[in-house]
Amino acid sequence: MQSKNKKIYNAAITGVGMYVPDKILDNKYFESIVDTNDEWIVSRTGIRERRVMENGATSDMAVYAIQDLFKTTKVKPEEIDVIIVATVTPDMFFPATACLVQEKIGATKAWGFDLSAACSGFLFALQTGASLIESGTYKKVIVVGSDKMTAITDYTDRNNCILFGDAASAVLLEPTEDLNYGIKDSLLYVDGSGKESLYMKGGGSLNPPSHETVDKKMHYIYQDGKAVFKVAVIGMADISFEIMKKNELKSEDVAYLVPHQANLRIIDATAKRMGISKDKVMINIDRYGNTTAATIPSCLTEYYRAGKIKKGDNLILSAFGAGYTWGAIYLTWSLD
Ligand code: UT7
C-alpha cells in the first residue's frame, strides 16, 4: 500500500465509452403532455431534448457503454479487476447492477459494487476507483455511470419531467507511474440535511412498496427545484473554485470545466466563479438533459472523441446532487 505522501501511482483514464438510447423526446413532446413550452424549458434549463431507454434497463445501458469502451481500447473483459456502477436507478435493489454488468460483459475475474450518490455518483465512484488503483492492488477498474431516469419520472409533474433522460458512460482506470498525469485531487462531501429537497421516498425499508406508496407517487423523483437550485449554484461554484485554489491553479491552467449537467444556469455560475470562459466548459445538457451519473463521463467521451481534449490538459470535474452530495475532481488527461 502506498502512503498519501509517497504516491507510486496515479489512476489515469485510459479509455472512454458511452451509450444513449435512440428514442428522442424533444421539448415539443412535453408541450403535448404538460403545461409547458420550448421557450421556458430552454431558457430555464438549457435542455432541448433527452433520450428514453425503451427496451432494457440500467445494466443494459452500462453494458453498451462498456462495450463501446472496449472497441477503442486493447483491454479484454477478462482483464477487468473491478466494476463500479454509479446509479440511483439500479435494475433491482439486489443483486447489485455491477453483478449483472459483470455477467453480461464477461468480466470473469472482476468483483464490483453499486455506488449511490445521485448526480455526484460518477465523481464518488471515480475517486473510489482511483483509490483502488493507487493502492497498487488493482490494475484495471471500470467506472460506469448509468441511469434510467425515465423509469422514476412522473410525466404529470411539469416541474421535473422535462429535466431527466437516460444514458450511460464508462471510463477505464489504470495506473500511471508518471504522476504528472491522472487523477490528482478530489474534494467530496455529503450533507443529509438536503434529504427533504430531492428524493424518491418509496420502495425502501422506510416506505416499503404498497398500494398507498403507489397512490401517493412515492416511487417517483420528488424535487423542490428552487431549493436545490440555490444550494447547487453555491455548492458547485464553491467546490470548483476551492479545488483550483488548493492546487494553485489559475483559470488559464484549466483546459476544461466538466460539470454535472443539471441546469445550464448552474453551469454558467460555476464557470463564472472559476473565471473560465464558456468555450472551456463541456456541455451536452441540450441533447440529453440530466442523465444523473452519466453526465460527466459522457461529456468526457464526446469531447475526447471530437479531438477537443489533449494529453496534458487539466480538467476540473464537478457535481452537485441529491443527499446532498457534491464534489470536484482535478485530473490531468493522459490519453493521446
Ligand atoms: O441534478 C441534481 C440536482 N438538481 C438540480 O441541480 C436542479 C436544480 N433546480 C433547477 O434546475 C431549477 O430550479 C428548475 C429548472 C427545476 C426550475 O427552474 P426555476 O427557475 O427554479 O423555476 P421555478 O421552480 O422557480 O418556477 C418558476 C415558475 C413557476 O411558476 P410561478 O409559481 O412563478 O407561477 C413554476 O410553476 O415556472 C413554473 N414552471 C414551469 N413553467 C413552464 C415550473 N416548471 C415549468 C415548466 N414549464 N416545465
Side-chain angles (χ1 to χ4, degrees), residues 24 29 76 127 159 196 215 274 281 297 306:
I24 295 173
Y29 168 76
K76 297 188 184 71
Q127 176 53 42
N159 295 291
E196 295 300 331
D215 291 344
M274 295 167 75
V281 181

Side-chain angles (χ1 to χ4, degrees), residues 9 17 27 37 51 68 70 81 91 110 155 170 224 226 235 238 257 260:
Y9 306 114
N27 290 347
N37 57 75
R51 304 293 177 109
D68 183 48
F70 283 145
D81 297 312
D91 288 25
Y155 284 94
D224 177 346
K226 209 173 275 195
D238 280 357
L257 163 66
H260 170 54

Side-chain angles (χ1 to χ4, degrees), residues 166-182:
D166 302 336
S169 183
V171 300
L172 176 67
L173 291 176
E174 293 183 274
T176 169
E177 285 180 32
D178 185 343
L179 302 185
N180 291 311
Y181 297 100

Side-chain angles (χ1 to χ4, degrees), residues 213-263:
T213 61
V214 173
D215 291 344
K216 288 187 172 164
K217 299 190 168 194
M218 289 166 74
H219 300 275
Y220 290 130
I221 304 159
Y222 165 83
Q223 174 170 235
D224 177 346
K226 209 173 275 195
V228 178
F229 185 86
K230 274 188 204 149
V231 279
V233 164
I234 297 166
M236 240 170 83
D238 280 357
I239 199 85
S240 308
F241 184 68
E242 200 182 326
I243 203 160
M244 280 174 69
K245 226 171 79 183
K246 190 175 163 218
N247 290 281
E248 296 173 356
L249 293 169
K250 298 196 181 68
S251 52
E252 58 267 30
D253 302 324
V254 177
Y256 281 103
L257 163 66
V258 194
H260 170 54
Q261 313 277 308
N263 187 314

Side-chain angles (χ1 to χ4, degrees), residues 52-64:
V52 184
M53 183 70 172
E54 289 186 298
N55 302 305
T58 291
S59 68
D60 298 305
M61 293 197 296
V63 167
Y64 300 147

